[in-house]
Amino acid sequence: MSGRPLRLLILEDRPEDADLALRQLRRAGFDPTWRRVEDEEGFRANLDPELDLIIADYHQPQFDALRALKLMQEAGLDIPFVLVSGAVGEDMAVAAVRLGAVDYVLKDRLGRLGTAVENALEQAKLRRRQQEGQKALEHQALHDGLTDLPNRLMFRQQIEKGLAERASLAVLVLDLDNFREINDTFGHKIGDGLLGQIAPRLREHVDSRDLIARLGGDEFGILLRDTDAAHAMGVAESLLRVERPFLIEGHPLEVTASIGIAVFPQHGSTAETLLQRADVALYVAKRPGNSAAVYRHEDDPYDPSRVALQADLRQAIARREIILYYQPQVAIATGEVTGFEALARWRHTQRGWIPPVEFIPVAERMGLIKPLTACLVELAARQVVAWQRSGISIPVAVNVSMRNLLDPRFPATLKEIVATSGTPARQIKLEITESALMTEPARVLETMNELRAIGFGFSIDDFGTGYSSLAYLQRLPVEEIKIDRSFVGELSNNAGSGAIVRATIELAGGLGLDVVAEGVEDESTWQSLGRLGCSTAQGYFLSRPMPPSEVEGWLAEWSKRSDRLQAA
Ligand code: C2E
Ligand code: CA
Ligand code: CA
């Protein structure tokens, strides 16, 4: 006769009592494989997770059943435990059941043992199912259904855990660049297949203890521990170097991605801030020419001080608190003042002077650059008229942002401004950065031609930092380029910069363009530029940007200084 197998441990000092119990179990249809132990040592040695059941005599001479229960629980085991006992006090029985014993059977009613064991096994099965269900639920709550990767919630929890350990860590957010196209072209099935293959690829490039999660859609998170921004950037670059195309159901798919990085402690000390800042960096990484970027404060539209700035900026523009300082431009050969560049200045009522590199990008993102530029061009135009009245006839250059050039109403707006102020448009030059030209050349060219027709002149700002060729500039209505100050400043101590400046001056001369060197800080740079044939200089050597009230005084000073310089 073969009954239900039962791996059994019996805690009982009397072999004959153990036999009685076994007989009852066989009668109830079990086929026990069993060991009998008498003391703590034996119990410990035979306790194992694969046991189906423990039965124990309550009245053990050296080792009582309550202690056995405790040992089992301490070992993290949940094995059905049935007390078999002589007369046991009710309070003892209660204590035992509370500790986890499932049931107890009196020795003189041993006929009940079979049923008690059945119940105990049944209950254990239920508990196991519940635990498994619980685990599955927990897994589901913390994992993504499609890829079975940890989800955003778990990613956050793991970041928090890392933060609690105060170890440096980096949060990388990776986003596929062309996932939507792939989905639209090949269908969701292929798209899903692709998402499933991303993690294994990423795994090849990170440490086994680093976490990879799916944050949603085509966005993945990677948590690196004990790292810094430079190392995280290195990892990001290796992650992006996934050259092999993905093969999904026979379709080879070329996939590219972008990665944003935020690092603890530099960029934040909560999971929320780090994730959000990695997103800001991702936004920057998505720009053409980038693929991975570390968070930078100045890119961040959510930065708390920046949020405050946004509210203030709107008001400042409306109240005309943003004003212009003027920096002279001088012909190197003659010392003649050929123009002024107007540079925006904001004197914030609480925060003092805020530099344009801080508030111009905010204005651009908030859609405030149109009113701001209009306001500043108007200010410059009025200044030109005011100087003309006092006998100073010098053109002013105003900086214009790329967004202005993409605004179809920009030419009309400027036309009205110059008409109202009575300034000839040719007295106003618009400075456009090289990178703005490259963003949407066709639209920008159209706007430039309209502005040119009104009479405005153009100057290409920060030349040398972008990728435009001089040949391309020739097709634009441009008469001047400004060599970026990073090259000019290095002129005397960096041969590479010297070569760039020299080549630019020569090529520009061939194309009939004027060249303004920005950032001329000392006399030796001024002299070198003169020797290289550069027409115009601008920089601290001549003057810092100044409020319009100081311009007349400076002009008088300059004519004296210029004579001395020419004589030298
Ligand atoms: P930018 O157009 O290249 O302006 C020249 C910047 O170089 C100015 O900084 C000026 O103060 C600084 N500078 C002048 N001479 C020297 C020098 O000898 N050495 C050094 N190290 N720096 C010198 P600023 O006024 O802080 O302006 C920074 C940038 O902000 C400008 O760069 C321009 O891109 C932008 N910006 C300024 N005003 C406006 C504006 O009204 N509208 C727009 N859209 N952008 C503006
Ligand atoms: Ca400029
Ligand atoms: Ca510049």
Side-chain angles (χ1 to χ4, degrees):
M1 169 197 103
S2 89
R4 281 164 64 190
L6 188 73
R7 284 196 73 229
L8 174 65
L9 183 63
I10 306 174
L11 177 59
E12 171 64 79
D13 59 330
R14 292 162 47 160
E16 59 276 25
D17 281 0
D19 275 345
L20 283 172
L22 285 165
R23 195 173 305 159
Q24 285 301 329
L25 289 173
R26 289 198 185 96
R27 188 172 293 167
F30 292 102
D31 181 12
T33 316
W34 58 277
R35 272 169 202 273
R36 186 177 63 83
V37 295
E38 295 185 4
D39 51 18
E40 177 160 346
E41 201 186 337
F43 185 78
R44 279 179 189 278
N46 284 283
L47 193 60
D48 84 63
E50 301 307 324
L51 285 169
D52 290 312
L53 179 72
I54 297 170
I55 56 183
D57 181 1
Y58 191 81
H59 294 292
Q60 283 299 110
Q62 322 92 325
F63 180 49
D64 81 57
L66 292 184
R67 171 103 184 104
L69 264 171
K70 272 206 183 110
L71 280 178
M72 179 183 87
Q73 286 173 347
E74 278 164 21
L77 297 175
D78 178 22
I79 300 163
F81 198 104
V82 174
L83 286 176
V84 178
S85 173
V88 67
E90 200 170 339
D91 43 345
M92 286 299 178
V94 169
V97 171
R98 233 186 233 150
L99 262 175
V102 183
D103 209 345
Y104 70 93
V105 176
L106 294 174
K107 278 192 177 170
D108 52 3
R109 305 247 182 87
L110 215 48
R112 222 180 63 81
L113 184 64
T115 322
V117 167
E118 289 282 7
N119 288 343
L121 293 178
E122 196 54 39
Q123 282 184 35
K125 203 155 96 194
L126 277 175
R127 276 204 304 277
R128 225 168 20 241
R129 287 234 180 96
Q130 251 172 13
Q131 277 163 5
E132 279 164 12
Q134 188 68 31
K135 275 205 190 111
L137 273 180
E138 273 165 24
H139 186 88
Q140 218 176 50
L142 293 175
H143 290 76
D144 159 54
L146 178 66
T147 59
D148 205 37
L149 288 172
N151 63 13
R152 187 178 278 272
L153 182 64
M154 179 158 172
F155 193 61
R156 288 179 69 118
Q157 287 180 355
Q158 292 297 312
I159 297 173
E160 271 152 19
K161 213 173 125 203
L163 291 172
E165 289 159 12
R166 313 293 306 167
S168 63
L169 53 85
V171 174
L172 280 65
V173 175
L174 177 147
D175 187 277
L176 303 182
D177 295 330
N178 48 352
F179 184 70
R180 195 183 300 164
E181 286 157 47
I182 290 174
N183 240 353
D184 291 349
T185 316
F186 299 100
H188 288 282
K189 221 177 129 210
I190 302 281
D192 287 356
L194 171 63
L195 292 175
Q197 288 194 25
I198 300 290
R201 283 278 176 100
L202 301 179
R203 260 283 153 242
E204 294 169 19
H205 298 273
V206 302
D207 208 277
S208 58
R209 66 201 179 116
D210 295 330
L211 183 74
I212 298 178
R214 180 168 175 224
L215 304 181
D218 57 346
E219 208 176 274
F220 293 82
I222 301 130
L223 176 62
L224 306 177
R225 291 167 221 265
D226 297 322
T227 186
D228 57 24
H231 175 251
M233 190 67 181
V235 173
E237 278 163 358
S238 67
L239 289 173
L240 291 172
R241 242 180 274 125
V242 262
E243 282 132 2
R244 289 168 290 152
F246 288 80
L247 201 65
I248 287 134
E249 296 190 356
H251 299 270
L253 298 178
E254 292 285 352
V255 181
T256 59
S258 307
I259 295 181
I261 304 168
V263 173
F264 169 77
Q266 293 95 307
H267 304 141
S269 52
T270 65
E272 166 131 6
T273 317
L274 289 169
L275 273 166
Q276 191 221 318
R277 297 198 155 172
D279 268 341
V280 169
L282 178 64
Y283 184 78
V284 174
K286 287 265 175 195
R287 290 187 198 148
N290 295 358
S291 52
V294 175
Y295 173 81
R296 291 187 323 171
H297 175 73
E298 55 266 40
D299 298 321
D300 193 345
Y302 311 107
D303 185 73
S305 64
R306 189 148 301 205
V307 172
L309 202 65
Q310 293 182 6
D312 295 351
L313 188 56
R314 202 179 290 277
Q315 273 197 345
I317 296 170
R319 294 183 186 162
R320 308 205 159 222
E321 284 169 14
I322 297 175
I323 53 160
L324 289 172
Y325 270 37
Y326 294 87
Q327 188 176 37
Q329 301 170 327
V330 174
I332 299 175
T334 61
E336 185 200 351
V337 179
T338 56
F340 283 96
E341 178 177 3
L343 294 157
R345 296 289 180 265
W346 180 9
R347 183 167 206 167
H348 190 281
T349 35
Q350 278 102 48
R351 297 214 264 158
W353 292 105
I354 302 178
V357 289
E358 265 183 42
F359 68 80
I360 297 285
V362 177
E364 285 178 341
R365 257 192 303 261
M366 289 178 71
L368 290 175
I369 195 71
K370 292 179 195 174
L372 178 59
T373 304
C375 184
L376 294 176
V377 172
E378 190 185 331
L379 208 56
R382 288 215 218 118
Q383 189 60 58
V384 168
V385 174
W387 278 332
Q388 265 172 348
R389 286 206 189 105
S390 39
I392 304 165
S393 177
I394 296 176
V396 166
V398 182
N399 292 280
V400 164
S401 129
M402 175 192 72
R403 274 167 213 252
N404 294 129
L405 298 170
L406 296 176
D407 170 14
R409 289 193 311 267
F410 188 57
T413 309
L414 291 203
K415 188 176 180 180
E416 199 191 314
I417 288 170
V418 287
T420 314
S421 62
T423 324
R426 71 186 142 68
Q427 287 291 85
I428 300 211
K429 204 183 282 176
L430 304 174
E431 291 197 6
I432 301 170
T433 61
E434 197 189 354
S435 54
L437 285 179
M438 303 309 288
T439 320
E440 266 194 71
R443 271 175 78 186
V444 168
L445 180 60
E446 205 183 305
T447 313
M448 285 175 80
N449 282 328
E450 280 179 55
L451 288 162
R452 158 51 56 92
I454 301 166
F456 293 101
F458 290 101
S459 177
I460 304 305
D461 208 351
D462 302 345
F463 189 82
T465 57
Y467 300 97
S468 58
S469 65
L470 279 168
Y472 169 70
L473 294 186
Q474 212 181 1
R475 309 213 310 264
L476 303 173
V478 164
E479 46 275 337
E480 177 186 281
I481 58 175
K482 299 184 78 175
I483 307 178
D484 191 65
R485 61 178 181 275
S486 56
F487 303 112
V488 176
E490 290 285 294
L491 195 56
S492 28
N493 44 24
N494 179 323
S497 294
I500 290 174
V501 172
R502 193 183 317 246
T504 308
I505 292 168
E506 273 172 25
L507 286 165
L511 296 169
L513 297 169
D514 290 334
V515 179
V516 179
E518 331 174 286
V520 179
E521 294 187 352
D522 49 47
E523 185 169 350
S524 83
T525 307
W526 163 271
Q527 302 289 2
S528 320
L529 286 165
R531 280 194 298 276
L532 290 171
C534 178
S535 56
T536 314
Q538 176 183 345
Y540 295 168
F541 174 61
L542 304 163
S543 169
R544 293 202 165 236
M546 57 194 138
S549 58
E550 289 174 20
V551 165
E552 272 184 65
W554 179 84
L555 284 170
E557 276 302 308
W558 171 249
S559 74
K560 287 184 238 161
R561 210 180 133 203
S562 162
D563 290 345
R564 282 201 301 275
L565 267 176
Q566 299 299 319

